[in-house]
Amino acid sequence: QVQLVESGGGVVQPGRSLRLSCAASGFTFSSNVMYWVRQAPGKGLEWVAVISYDGSNKYSADSVKGRFTISRDNSKNTVYLQMNSLRVEDTAVYYCARDRSGGGYWSYGMDVWGQGTTVTVSS
Amino acid sequence: QSALTQPASVSGSPGQSITISCTGTSSDVGGYKYVSWYQQYPGKAPKLMIYEVSNRPSGVSNRFSGSKSGNTASLTISGLQAEDEADYYCSSYTSSSTLVIFGGGTKLTVL
């Protein structure tokens, strides 16, 4: 079945780095735009980053720009989020999600979500 | 860029209809068809309920409908059921550097 599984979360000190992974299965991964979305404890959803189907276009939220980098490896059906210079305010559950449009199109609707991985930034 | 504006909470009785609003600007909600709505239960991942303003993904009940007027999008749930009690978020494409913006979320209580 169509599935996304995140990994790589954990507890990290401020200023350190962490890399999240999201493994996809059950669909043609190389055809879909992919997103990272986070949710701080007790807060709403916040879009973090997005990458085109082929990795040629990437965008990130102002709050993480210059610190977080999204990438993908279509041969491994995996999307990544490299998080550097982590801050306390980056503490959240991080979800990866699939754009509902295949064929390389962008619909900005996320129809498949992973279960989330928790990142805690604390000294 | 600030989040899209949603009411913090709405409530309704079983069988009633409720509407959740999502207000943005001409740079996001008002300017494009890329408005989506998500349902989220506590501790769970969000679920896509509406995409491109008014389209329902396969498997989503037709009690859920979406619309847009000007800079405000709306999610309407008819025939309210206890299982509809959840948090609801809107999102939109934005022409700003942010690209995607979410609303602050609305907690729906079924009385």
Side-chain angles (χ1 to χ4, degrees), chain A residues 35 37 39 43-47 50 59-62 65 95 100-101 106-111 113-115, chain B residues 1 34 36 38 40 43-48 51-52 57 89 91-93 97-104:
Chain A
Y35 303 84
V37 175
Q39 187 168 35
K43 302 297 184 181
L45 301 174
E46 180 188 15
W47 170 73
V50 61
Y59 303 88
S60 59
D62 289 343
K65 202 160 291 184
Y95 296 101
R100 61 162 299 281
S101 285
W106 301 60
S107 82
Y108 306 96
M110 305 168 205
D111 70 336
W113 294 67
Q115 83 288 353
Chain B
Q1 183 172 1
Y34 300 115
S36 300
Y38 301 89
Q40 186 182 35
K44 300 297 185 182
K47 175 186 177 182
L48 180 66
Y51 66 94
E52 293 178 4
Y89 294 89
S91 75
S92 174
Y93 166 81
S97 60
T98 307
L99 202 72
V100 178
I101 188 170
F102 278 95

Side-chain angles (χ1 to χ4, degrees), chain B residues 43-62:
Chain B
K44 300 297 185 182
K47 175 186 177 182
L48 180 66
M49 305 302 285
I50 297 288
Y51 66 94
E52 293 178 4
V53 177
S54 60
N55 295 289
R56 272 189 315 275
S58 174
V60 172
S61 170
N62 59 9

Side-chain angles (χ1 to χ4, degrees), chain B residues 6-70:
Chain B
Q6 296 181 234
S9 63
V10 298
S11 63
S13 299
Q16 287 185 331
S17 293
I18 64 94
T19 296
I20 299 172
S21 61
C22 170
T23 301
T25 69
S26 58
S27 296
D28 39 67
V29 173
Y32 305 92
K33 68 176 183 178
Y34 300 115
V35 176
S36 300
W37 289 91
Y38 301 89
Q39 176 191 64
Q40 186 182 35
Y41 294 112
K44 300 297 185 182
K47 175 186 177 182
L48 180 66
M49 305 302 285
I50 297 288
Y51 66 94
E52 293 178 4
V53 177
S54 60
N55 295 289
R56 272 189 315 275
S58 174
V60 172
S61 170
N62 59 9
R63 297 186 299 105
F64 292 82
S65 62
S67 63
K68 187 179 79 167
S69 177

Side-chain angles (χ1 to χ4, degrees), chain A residues 24-25 27-34 51-55 72-78 98 101-105:
Chain A
S25 59
F27 66 98
T28 306
F29 177 74
S30 59
S31 294
N32 287 82
V33 172
M34 297 294 296
I51 188 166
S52 61
Y53 72 101
D54 62 355
R72 66 190 297 160
D73 185 338
N74 286 346
S75 69
K76 296 182 178 179
N77 289 350
T78 301
R98 181 186 83 167
S101 285
Y105 293 101

Side-chain angles (χ1 to χ4, degrees), chain A:
Chain A
Q1 72 279 24
V2 175
Q3 194 174 10
L4 297 172
V5 179
E6 301 97 336
S7 61
V11 180
V12 63
Q13 293 179 326
R16 303 298 290 263
S17 299
L18 210 56
R19 188 177 84 155
L20 306 182
S21 300
C22 170
S25 59
F27 66 98
T28 306
F29 177 74
S30 59
S31 294
N32 287 82
V33 172
M34 297 294 296
Y35 303 84
W36 284 98
V37 175
R38 69 183 181 183
Q39 187 168 35
K43 302 297 184 181
L45 301 174
E46 180 188 15
W47 170 73
V48 174
V50 61
I51 188 166
S52 61
Y53 72 101
D54 62 355
S56 62
N57 291 290
K58 309 173 186 180
Y59 303 88
S60 59
D62 289 343
S63 59
V64 307
K65 202 160 291 184
R67 300 187 300 123
F68 291 11
T69 302
I70 189 172
S71 63
R72 66 190 297 160
D73 185 338
N74 286 346
S75 69
K76 296 182 178 179
N77 289 350
T78 301
V79 60
Y80 304 97
L81 186 67
Q82 177 67 44
M83 304 186 294
N84 299 331
S85 303
L86 281 160
R87 304 169 180 170
V88 171
E89 54 265 34
D90 295 321
T91 295
V93 174
Y94 285 74
Y95 296 101
C96 67
R98 181 186 83 167
D99 191 294
R100 61 162 299 281
S101 285
Y105 293 101
W106 301 60
S107 82
Y108 306 96
M110 305 168 205
D111 70 336
V112 179
W113 294 67
Q115 83 288 353
T117 187
T118 300
V119 173
T120 302
V121 184
S122 173
S123 54

